[in-house]
């Protein structure tokens, strides 16, 4: 959804109705997660995807119907062994898609949501998917305000409270309520989609490996900063456009920088005078991933120095070193793929093993 919002924002600003399809629920080996979106706009222009191609044709027709004035639709697509040519998912999974029309009259908060996402301002969009409330009704929730309604004041209050909690976690998923927002009822289904600012990737050490790691971090959707105390290396021209480059001592920069449970820290300085004070600071603050480059001998010596600096075994256990998965990587670009693979595996609980050596669903069900 984040990827297609710039186009949708332009359609909305022009007052052009468009059909928006959003994946609101998945099961088994579904190809896309909840929140994946596809839209059909003027002149049958299509942006986004809900399944990677399996059911896009059927969703295209539904989006055209609702954009032309039809009611919002909730459709489930799965795999049919009985008819190989039926619309469905060849991967064997199942997705539920909400298709609704978006216009300034039907969704007064959509333009503000698009602007907030573009500006990196956190916002959650709550949309009714099923029940006695109006299907497709939307409520935009920011930390300090709301816009729109789900059709009942009690429902708006309950959903606003939950939406702000989900926003703090960057979470997306279905919630269930009574018609007036009662907590222990499930008559109304509401899809909460959070747009938190992109997570940060902090890369320390402006070496050739850093440029490759910064590039793949940007590709994965991180807001990337490269920091090095040596101004001759910490120059923007050595790094991809959009990557922030900071010529400062790494530990001093980190000490003045906020991190959270989504932040990725990659230490590529490979020099004890940088590594030890930097990792001493990093391992005592929130972060999703902290990796440091170096051989096993370098890691052992570094760990000894960090222990002498006062870090506990629990703090040291957070350090991923030597950094990356064992891919046999040699070039900076290959090492960057190795590091990215470890970050993704740690984020989603992947084993890092070849899929041919594993069993079960390729895309296991994820909690919101």
């Amino acid at each position: 959804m984040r990827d297609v919002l710039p186009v949708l924002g332009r359609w909305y600003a022009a007052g052009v109705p468009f059909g928006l399809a959003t994946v609101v629920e998945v099961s088994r080996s579904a190809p896309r997660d909840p929140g994946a979106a596809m839209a059909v706009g003027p002149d049958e222009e299509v942006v986004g995807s809900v399944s990677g191609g399996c059911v896009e044709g059927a969703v295209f027709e539904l989006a055209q119907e609702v954009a032309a004035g039809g009611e919002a639709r909730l459709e489930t697509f799965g795999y049919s062994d009985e008819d190989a040519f039926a619309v469905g998912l060849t991967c064997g999974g199942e997705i539920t898609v909400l298709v609704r029309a978006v216009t300034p009259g039907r969704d007064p908060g959509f333009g503000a949501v698009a602007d907030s996402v573009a500006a990196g301002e956190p916002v959650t969009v709550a949309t009714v998917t099923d029940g006695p409330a109006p299907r497709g009704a939307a409520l935009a929730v920011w930390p300090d305000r709301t816009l729109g309604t789900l059709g009942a004041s009690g429902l708006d209050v309950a959903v606003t409270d939950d939406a702000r909690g989900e926003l703090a976690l960057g979470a997306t998923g279905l919630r269930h309520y009574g018609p007036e927002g009662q907590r222990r009822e499930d008559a109304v289904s509401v899809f909460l989609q959070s747009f938190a600012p992109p997570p940060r990737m902090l890369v320390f050490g402006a070496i050739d490996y850093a440029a490759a790691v910064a590039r793949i971090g940007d590709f994965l959707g991180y807001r990337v900063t490269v920091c090095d105390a040596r101004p001759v290396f910490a120059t923007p021209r050595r790094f991809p456009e959009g990557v922030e480059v900071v010529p400062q001592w790494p530990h001093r920069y980190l000490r003045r920088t906020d991190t959270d449970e989504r932040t990725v820290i990659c230490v590529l300085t490979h020099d004890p005078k940088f590594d030890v004070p930097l990792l001493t600071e990093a391992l005592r603050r929130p972060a999703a991933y902290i990796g440091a480059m170096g051989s096993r001998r370098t890691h052992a010596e570094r760990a000894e120095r960090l222990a002498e600096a006062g870090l506990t075994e629990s703090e040291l256990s957070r350090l991923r070193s030597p950094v990356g998965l064992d891919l046999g990587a040699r070039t900076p670009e290959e090492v960057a793929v190795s590091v990215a693979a470890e970050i993704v595996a740690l984020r989603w609980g992947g084993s890092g093993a070849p899929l041919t050596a594993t069993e079960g669903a390729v895309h296991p069900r994820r909690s919101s």
Side-chain angles (χ1 to χ4, degrees), residues 190-225:
V190 179
F191 182 64
L192 302 181
Q193 186 170 14
S194 297
F195 296 95
R200 297 200 66 183
M201 173 182 279
L202 307 177
V203 181
F204 295 97
I207 60 176
D208 49 358
Y209 289 94
V213 170
R215 189 175 299 112
I216 202 166
D218 180 68
F219 176 75
L220 290 175
Y222 288 91
R223 181 162 67 92
V224 183
T225 298

Side-chain angles (χ1 to χ4, degrees), residues 23-34 50-51 55 75-80 88-97 363 365:
V23 177
V24 297
E25 193 170 20
V26 304
S27 66
R28 299 191 298 277
S29 186
R32 302 296 301 275
D33 288 333
V50 292
S51 74
V55 302
E75 298 287 343
T76 297
F77 299 93
Y79 177 74
S80 173
L89 302 179
T90 57
C91 58
E94 187 175 272
I95 63 172
T96 300
V97 180
H363 304 284
R365 185 178 182 128

Side-chain angles (χ1 to χ4, degrees), residues 268-295:
L268 312 179
T269 45
H270 209 266
D271 185 329
K273 69 175 177 290
F274 296 125
D275 290 358
V276 174
L278 172 59
L279 287 171
T280 299
E281 177 69 27
L283 292 168
R284 288 173 170 165
R285 59 168 52 230
Y289 175 92
I290 303 171
M293 178 175 281
S295 65

Side-chain angles (χ1 to χ4, degrees), residues 126-142:
T127 311
V128 174
T129 65
D130 205 6
R135 178 176 288 160
L139 173 69
V141 180
W142 289 266

Side-chain angles (χ1 to χ4, degrees), residues 7 14 23 34 48 60-61 69 80 85 88 116 119 139 145 166 224 262 270 289 294 311 323 340 345 358:
V7 175
V23 177
F60 173 82
E61 294 179 1
S80 173
F85 294 98
S116 289
L139 173 69
R145 66 191 189 279
E166 297 289 87
V224 183
R262 301 185 302 152
H270 209 266
Y289 175 92
L311 269 75
V323 70
T358 64

Side-chain angles (χ1 to χ4, degrees), residues 86-155:
V87 174
L89 302 179
T90 57
C91 58
E94 187 175 272
I95 63 172
T96 300
V97 180
L98 175 69
V99 187
R100 65 187 182 99
V102 178
T103 65
R106 293 194 183 197
D107 189 347
F110 190 91
V113 168
D115 291 342
S116 289
V117 174
E121 182 183 13
V123 59
T124 294
V125 178
T127 311
V128 174
T129 65
D130 205 6
R135 178 176 288 160
L139 173 69
V141 180
W142 289 266
D144 59 349
R145 66 191 189 279
T146 64
L147 187 56
T149 180
L150 302 181
S153 59
L155 183 59

Side-chain angles (χ1 to χ4, degrees), residues 225-241:
T225 298
V226 176
C227 176
D228 196 302
R230 300 162 294 185
V232 67
F233 294 122
T235 58
R237 68 175 179 274
R238 301 184 63 236
F239 297 94
E241 184 179 358

